[in-house]
Amino acid sequence: MIHRIFLLGPQGCGKGTQAVILAARLEIPQFSMGGLLREAAAGKDDLAERIRAIQEKGELVPGKVVAEVLRSRLDKPDCANGYILDGFPRNQDQYEMYAEYDKPTAVIVIEVPRDVSIERIAHRSRTEHRTDDTPEAIRRRLEIYDQDTEPMINNYRSQGLVREVDGVGTVEDVADRIYGVCTMQGGC
Ligand code: AMP
């Protein structure tokens, strides 16, 4: 079975960590939209600088750039047997862009209360030093999640593709819940 799994949830829900664990269990590649864009931002050209500035503010990188970066990753041969993508789509335009290309087999949404999310980001910013983990950028990312990402998820909900998972607990607990959802009837 081919899996094309999207992992979504508010910042700090643990989607990056869980994507890595699930990918190892299902033996398929995983990548995050934020990570792909951070790679694209590492260069010295104008585009890299623009992406960097947008990420630091917690705003969304323009759809055209996202589409290009994502397409070039999905075209790599290791994606032929499926993949796990975290942090995409984040709004209706991105939903429509992917819908023209393909359909996910499941959309896993990791749910955590806002205070847990904020506490985890604070912890991450002490250990990982991400330049976009400033209070202002965090606030903006959460705002975009509520305003754009949450409503966009309803597209997938009406197609029966959404699997909601409780994201509170240890990394292992949440990983087992996600794997359970994936191997259950309906699957992922
Ligand atoms: P993340 O690693 O998921 O927290 O994403 C970090 C940053 O990368 C976001 O705040 C955005 O600036 C950018 N980014 C990640 N995913 C997307 C996306 N799907 N569309 C546009 N920008 C994105």
Side-chain angles (χ1 to χ4, degrees):
M1 168 174 186
I2 295 202
H3 302 279
R4 287 182 300 277
I5 302 171
F6 290 167
L7 254 179
L8 292 171
Q11 283 62 43
C13 72
K15 58 187 187 300
T17 307
Q18 295 300 336
V20 173
I21 298 173
L22 185 62
R25 286 183 168 177
L26 297 177
E27 298 182 34
I28 51 177
Q30 69 78 29
F31 34 92
S32 81
M33 200 58 233
L36 293 177
L37 290 167
R38 275 189 290 279
E39 279 168 27
K44 284 199 160 61
D45 53 351
D46 269 6
L47 180 63
E49 202 153 304
R50 268 178 45 217
I51 298 175
R52 229 166 18 239
I54 293 167
Q55 283 192 315
E56 277 177 16
K57 283 192 269 182
E59 297 292 342
L60 291 187
V61 172
K64 266 178 98 168
V65 178
V66 170
E68 207 173 297
V69 168
L70 182 58
R71 273 305 274 273
S72 70
R73 182 64 188 88
L74 295 181
D75 283 346
K76 291 197 177 161
D78 68 337
C79 287
N81 293 318
Y83 48 85
I84 299 172
L85 172 56
D86 90 67
F88 177 92
R90 273 169 137 108
N91 61 22
Q92 188 65 22
D93 284 354
Q94 294 183 5
Y95 164 82
E96 284 166 18
M97 183 260 278
Y98 186 84
E100 276 177 29
Y101 175 78
D102 213 335
K103 188 179 174 186
T105 53
V107 177
I108 298 172
V109 180
I110 306 179
E111 296 185 314
V112 289
R114 196 45 52 95
D115 56 335
V116 173
S117 183
I118 290 172
E119 172 51 40
R120 288 188 188 164
I121 304 170
H123 181 258
R124 178 176 79 193
S125 59
R126 287 195 294 272
T127 55
E128 283 180 26
H129 309 293
R130 261 176 60 167
T131 53
D132 61 347
D133 278 346
T134 60
E136 197 41 37
I138 292 166
R139 195 190 55 73
R140 183 64 189 131
R141 269 144 63 208
L142 290 169
E143 196 174 79
I144 292 173
Y145 187 82
D146 293 342
Q147 278 173 9
D148 300 338
T149 311
E150 270 265 348
M152 178 281 298
I153 292 172
N154 287 329
N155 296 300
Y156 294 126
R157 203 165 268 126
S158 62
Q159 296 163 41
L161 292 174
V162 172
R163 317 275 181 263
E164 269 136 0
V165 173
D166 177 7
V168 179
T170 65
V171 169
E172 293 74 23
D173 287 343
V174 180
D176 288 345
R177 278 175 214 147
I178 292 176
Y179 192 64
V181 154
C182 268
T183 46
M184 222 160 60
Q185 215 187 2
C188 67

